[in-house]
Amino acid sequence: MKLIFLGPPGAGKGTQAERIAERYEIAHISTGDMLRSEIRNATLLGAEAKAYLDRGELVPDSVIIDMVRDRIQREDCKNGFLLDGFPRTVVQAQALQDFTDIDFAVNIDVPFERLVARISGRRMCPDCGAAYHVSSYKAETCQKCGAKLYQRDDDREETVANRLKVYTEKTAPLIAYYETQGKLFTVDGDAQIDAVTEEIMKGLDA
Ligand code: AMP
């Protein structure tokens, strides 16, 4: 199974992607996590990407396309994979189509006015990538692995507005792109986390 998760920043793609990848035993590939790991490890790619992430801009298509093309060749993708955060532009979607066929694009829909609060209250685990929200999780350490949680630099309010603008201009057109191909499946992302997971599974199983 080869899946794509679409949705604006803060829609819950990462949380749902982790659950769905586990359920179907496919690799969870988050391009944002890959870039943050490059930045943490101070690689050349990380140095190039950092300025884009800090501004809430997209990393150039050529960089990200090469990264994903290499990543999906790896052994853990032999059962399939779930791309979380890729493609984010029509150019990326066309490149992806040139090197593999995807089965479904799951679009997690959340009303725009809900996103800023969802993103600015988000706290992340630097080690396992788990995400929490301050409204429902008061501890400062990760429930799964115990690492100290942090707020992503680009989750601060000043960067969030630009990320939403970039999403609207560059990524939202992918909804129509996959709809035209008959591969789009939209779920209501404004429900409880478990209910969203269930809706996605029901759709995929059907
Ligand atoms: P995310 O964790 O998916 O919200 O991604 C965080 C940031 O990484 C984005 O704001 C972009 O700067 C960069 N990024 C992640 N995926 C892509 C992509 N497919 N194309 C370009 N930039 C990306």
Side-chain angles (χ1 to χ4, degrees):
M1 177 138 61
K2 296 174 185 170
L3 304 176
I4 286 171
F5 271 25
L6 294 174
K13 290 190 297 298
T15 304
Q16 296 300 334
E18 197 185 319
R19 292 168 160 221
I20 298 296
E22 196 179 312
R23 160 76 165 70
Y24 294 97
E25 298 182 348
I26 55 178
H28 172 199
I29 301 174
S30 156
T31 44
D33 283 350
M34 289 173 80
L35 293 169
R36 282 184 289 278
S37 154
E38 297 284 341
I39 293 172
R40 261 203 309 280
N41 294 326
T43 65
L44 265 178
L45 173 58
E48 187 186 348
K50 186 172 184 321
Y52 294 98
L53 269 83
D54 285 349
R55 292 196 307 267
E57 296 289 339
L58 296 182
V59 169
D61 286 331
S62 56
V63 172
I64 206 92
I65 289 167
D66 287 349
M67 194 176 91
V68 172
R69 190 190 286 115
D70 289 349
R71 178 64 186 84
I72 65 175
Q73 309 293 336
R74 297 221 318 237
E75 179 65 18
D76 64 339
C77 294
K78 68 176 194 309
N79 272 344
F81 52 77
L82 189 169
L83 293 171
D84 159 14
F86 180 95
R88 256 178 159 102
T89 64
V90 171
V91 170
Q92 292 178 18
Q94 287 165 339
L96 178 65
Q97 203 169 342
D98 286 343
F99 54 79
T100 192
D101 263 332
I102 67 122
D103 299 306
F104 293 107
V106 177
N107 175 36
I108 305 185
D109 187 36
V110 173
F112 241 63
E113 61 276 13
R114 304 264 300 114
L115 296 172
V116 175
R118 285 174 71 134
I119 300 172
S120 49
R122 178 159 69 177
R123 298 293 180 268
M124 307 292 299
C125 173
D127 290 348
C128 73
Y132 300 89
H133 196 276
V134 290
S135 63
S136 58
Y137 188 77
K138 307 290 178 201
E140 290 186 357
T141 53
C142 178
Q143 200 172 34
K144 295 181 183 161
C145 71
K148 187 164 165 33
L149 302 180
Y150 78 108
Q151 181 176 33
R152 276 170 50 175
D153 284 342
D154 62 345
D155 276 354
R156 294 176 201 281
E157 227 166 305
E158 52 283 15
T159 316
V160 170
N162 194 39
R163 287 170 64 202
L164 293 177
K165 180 167 169 276
V166 168
Y167 168 79
T168 304
E169 290 173 3
K170 307 220 165 122
T171 309
L174 293 179
I175 296 174
Y177 181 92
Y178 286 109
E179 190 157 35
T180 307
Q181 297 191 358
K183 291 183 171 172
L184 189 79
F185 157 49
T186 294
V187 297
D188 172 13
D190 203 22
Q192 293 291 322
I193 294 178
D194 287 345
V196 179
T197 311
E198 218 163 278
E199 199 186 338
I200 298 173
M201 284 181 185
K202 241 193 245 163
L204 294 176
D205 288 342

